[in-house]
PDB file of all heavy atoms in Angstrom:
ATOM      1  N   GLY E 116      67.536 118.071  65.522  1.00 46.00           N
ATOM      2  CA  GLY E 116      66.856 117.510  64.374  1.00 46.00           C
ATOM      3  C   GLY E 116      67.794 117.171  63.230  1.00 46.00           C
ATOM      4  O   GLY E 116      67.361 116.811  62.159  1.00 46.00           O
ATOM      5  N   LYS E 117      69.095 117.291  63.448  1.00 48.00           N
ATOM      6  CA  LYS E 117      70.069 116.997  62.400  1.00 48.00           C
ATOM      7  C   LYS E 117      70.382 115.508  62.395  1.00 48.00           C
ATOM      8  O   LYS E 117      70.314 114.834  63.417  1.00 48.00           O
ATOM      9  CB  LYS E 117      71.340 117.806  62.626  1.00 48.00           C
ATOM     10  CG  LYS E 117      71.054 119.300  62.511  1.00 48.00           C
ATOM     11  CD  LYS E 117      72.286 120.092  62.750  1.00 48.00           C
ATOM     12  CE  LYS E 117      71.931 121.581  62.644  1.00 48.00           C
ATOM     13  NZ  LYS E 117      73.046 122.412  62.948  1.00 48.00           N
ATOM     14  N   ILE E 118      70.748 114.997  61.240  1.00 47.00           N
ATOM     15  CA  ILE E 118      71.025 113.573  61.109  1.00 47.00           C
ATOM     16  C   ILE E 118      72.417 113.274  61.634  1.00 47.00           C
ATOM     17  O   ILE E 118      73.390 113.921  61.282  1.00 47.00           O
ATOM     18  CB  ILE E 118      70.907 113.123  59.641  1.00 47.00           C
ATOM     19  CG1 ILE E 118      69.474 113.322  59.158  1.00 47.00           C
ATOM     20  CG2 ILE E 118      71.355 111.670  59.483  1.00 47.00           C
ATOM     21  CD1 ILE E 118      69.289 113.034  57.694  1.00 47.00           C
ATOM     22  N   LEU E 119      72.498 112.248  62.486  1.00 47.00           N
ATOM     23  CA  LEU E 119      73.768 111.775  63.013  1.00 47.00           C
ATOM     24  C   LEU E 119      73.943 110.335  62.568  1.00 47.00           C
ATOM     25  O   LEU E 119      72.988 109.585  62.467  1.00 47.00           O
ATOM     26  CB  LEU E 119      73.776 111.827  64.546  1.00 47.00           C
ATOM     27  CG  LEU E 119      73.586 113.197  65.189  1.00 47.00           C
ATOM     28  CD1 LEU E 119      73.462 113.026  66.695  1.00 47.00           C
ATOM     29  CD2 LEU E 119      74.746 114.106  64.866  1.00 47.00           C
ATOM     30  N   GLN E 120      75.164 109.951  62.288  1.00 48.00           N
ATOM     31  CA  GLN E 120      75.427 108.565  61.940  1.00 48.00           C
ATOM     32  C   GLN E 120      76.504 108.047  62.868  1.00 48.00           C
ATOM     33  O   GLN E 120      77.449 108.760  63.191  1.00 48.00           O
ATOM     34  CB  GLN E 120      75.883 108.443  60.488  1.00 48.00           C
ATOM     35  CG  GLN E 120      76.028 107.002  60.046  1.00 48.00           C
ATOM     36  CD  GLN E 120      76.337 106.901  58.567  1.00 48.00           C
ATOM     37  OE1 GLN E 120      76.711 107.864  57.931  1.00 48.00           O
ATOM     38  NE2 GLN E 120      76.197 105.713  58.036  1.00 48.00           N
ATOM     39  N   ILE E 121      76.381 106.813  63.306  1.00 45.00           N
ATOM     40  CA  ILE E 121      77.351 106.224  64.208  1.00 45.00           C
ATOM     41  C   ILE E 121      78.610 105.902  63.417  1.00 45.00           C
ATOM     42  O   ILE E 121      78.556 105.188  62.430  1.00 45.00           O
ATOM     43  CB  ILE E 121      76.790 104.953  64.876  1.00 45.00           C
ATOM     44  CG1 ILE E 121      75.541 105.308  65.681  1.00 45.00           C
ATOM     45  CG2 ILE E 121      77.833 104.303  65.762  1.00 45.00           C
ATOM     46  CD1 ILE E 121      74.788 104.118  66.197  1.00 45.00           C
ATOM     47  N   GLY E 122      79.745 106.428  63.858  1.00 44.00           N
ATOM     48  CA  GLY E 122      81.029 106.195  63.195  1.00 44.00           C
ATOM     49  C   GLY E 122      81.700 104.953  63.726  1.00 44.00           C
ATOM     50  O   GLY E 122      81.376 104.458  64.803  1.00 44.00           O
ATOM     51  N   TRP E 123      82.672 104.426  62.988  1.00 39.00           N
ATOM     52  CA  TRP E 123      83.349 103.196  63.362  1.00 39.00           C
ATOM     53  C   TRP E 123      84.033 103.319  64.714  1.00 39.00           C
ATOM     54  O   TRP E 123      84.035 102.415  65.510  1.00 39.00           O
ATOM     55  CB  TRP E 123      84.364 102.798  62.292  1.00 39.00           C
ATOM     56  CG  TRP E 123      85.234 101.681  62.763  1.00 39.00           C
ATOM     57  CD1 TRP E 123      86.569 101.715  62.958  1.00 39.00           C
ATOM     58  CD2 TRP E 123      84.826 100.364  63.153  1.00 39.00           C
ATOM     59  NE1 TRP E 123      87.022 100.531  63.438  1.00 39.00           N
ATOM     60  CE2 TRP E 123      85.964  99.667  63.566  1.00 39.00           C
ATOM     61  CE3 TRP E 123      83.611  99.712  63.214  1.00 39.00           C
ATOM     62  CZ2 TRP E 123      85.925  98.352  64.004  1.00 39.00           C
ATOM     63  CZ3 TRP E 123      83.572  98.401  63.661  1.00 39.00           C
ATOM     64  CH2 TRP E 123      84.720  97.745  64.040  1.00 39.00           C
ATOM     65  N   ALA E 124      84.616 104.444  65.002  1.00 39.00           N
ATOM     66  CA  ALA E 124      85.347 104.620  66.259  1.00 39.00           C
ATOM     67  C   ALA E 124      84.401 104.889  67.424  1.00 39.00           C
ATOM     68  O   ALA E 124      84.788 105.438  68.428  1.00 39.00           O
ATOM     69  CB  ALA E 124      86.363 105.731  66.126  1.00 39.00           C
ATOM     70  N   SER E 125      83.169 104.510  67.258  1.00 38.00           N
ATOM     71  CA  SER E 125      82.103 104.635  68.249  1.00 38.00           C
ATOM     72  C   SER E 125      81.895 106.082  68.686  1.00 38.00           C
ATOM     73  O   SER E 125      81.505 106.363  69.788  1.00 38.00           O
ATOM     74  CB  SER E 125      82.326 103.722  69.453  1.00 38.00           C
ATOM     75  OG  SER E 125      83.406 104.169  70.228  1.00 38.00           O
ATOM     76  N   SER E 126      82.181 107.000  67.785  1.00 38.00           N
ATOM     77  CA  SER E 126      81.874 108.403  68.051  1.00 38.00           C
ATOM     78  C   SER E 126      80.735 108.816  67.132  1.00 38.00           C
ATOM     79  O   SER E 126      80.481 108.190  66.116  1.00 38.00           O
ATOM     80  CB  SER E 126      83.108 109.265  67.816  1.00 38.00           C
ATOM     81  OG  SER E 126      83.519 109.147  66.475  1.00 38.00           O
ATOM     82  N   LEU E 127      80.054 109.872  67.490  1.00 35.00           N
ATOM     83  CA  LEU E 127      78.978 110.374  66.647  1.00 35.00           C
ATOM     84  C   LEU E 127      79.529 111.477  65.764  1.00 35.00           C
ATOM     85  O   LEU E 127      80.207 112.386  66.212  1.00 35.00           O
ATOM     86  CB  LEU E 127      77.834 110.911  67.506  1.00 35.00           C
ATOM     87  CG  LEU E 127      77.108 109.855  68.337  1.00 35.00           C
ATOM     88  CD1 LEU E 127      76.083 110.514  69.221  1.00 35.00           C
ATOM     89  CD2 LEU E 127      76.454 108.841  67.444  1.00 35.00           C
ATOM     90  N   ILE E 128      79.232 111.383  64.490  1.00 38.00           N
ATOM     91  CA  ILE E 128      79.719 112.351  63.516  1.00 38.00           C
ATOM     92  C   ILE E 128      78.534 113.129  62.988  1.00 38.00           C
ATOM     93  O   ILE E 128      77.573 112.538  62.496  1.00 38.00           O
ATOM     94  CB  ILE E 128      80.464 111.638  62.377  1.00 38.00           C
ATOM     95  CG1 ILE E 128      81.629 110.833  62.924  1.00 38.00           C
ATOM     96  CG2 ILE E 128      80.932 112.645  61.331  1.00 38.00           C
ATOM     97  CD1 ILE E 128      82.245 109.894  61.932  1.00 38.00           C
ATOM     98  N   LEU E 129      78.598 114.414  63.075  1.00 37.00           N
ATOM     99  CA  LEU E 129      77.539 115.259  62.547  1.00 37.00           C
ATOM    100  C   LEU E 129      77.679 115.325  61.032  1.00 37.00           C
ATOM    101  O   LEU E 129      78.687 115.753  60.509  1.00 37.00           O
ATOM    102  CB  LEU E 129      77.642 116.668  63.153  1.00 37.00           C
ATOM    103  CG  LEU E 129      76.509 117.625  62.858  1.00 37.00           C
ATOM    104  CD1 LEU E 129      75.178 117.038  63.344  1.00 37.00           C
ATOM    105  CD2 LEU E 129      76.773 118.942  63.560  1.00 37.00           C
ATOM    106  N   LEU E 130      76.672 114.833  60.322  1.00 34.00           N
ATOM    107  CA  LEU E 130      76.748 114.778  58.869  1.00 34.00           C
ATOM    108  C   LEU E 130      76.229 116.053  58.199  1.00 34.00           C
ATOM    109  O   LEU E 130      76.705 116.441  57.156  1.00 34.00           O
ATOM    110  CB  LEU E 130      75.953 113.583  58.351  1.00 34.00           C
ATOM    111  CG  LEU E 130      76.474 112.214  58.747  1.00 34.00           C
ATOM    112  CD1 LEU E 130      75.556 111.138  58.213  1.00 34.00           C
ATOM    113  CD2 LEU E 130      77.886 112.000  58.244  1.00 34.00           C
TER     114      LEU E 130
END
Side-chain angles (χ1 to χ4, degrees):
K117 296 179 181 176
I118 297 174
L119 299 174
Q120 186 174 15
I121 300 171
W123 170 244
S125 70
S126 61
L127 294 175
I128 302 169
L129 188 58
L130 295 178

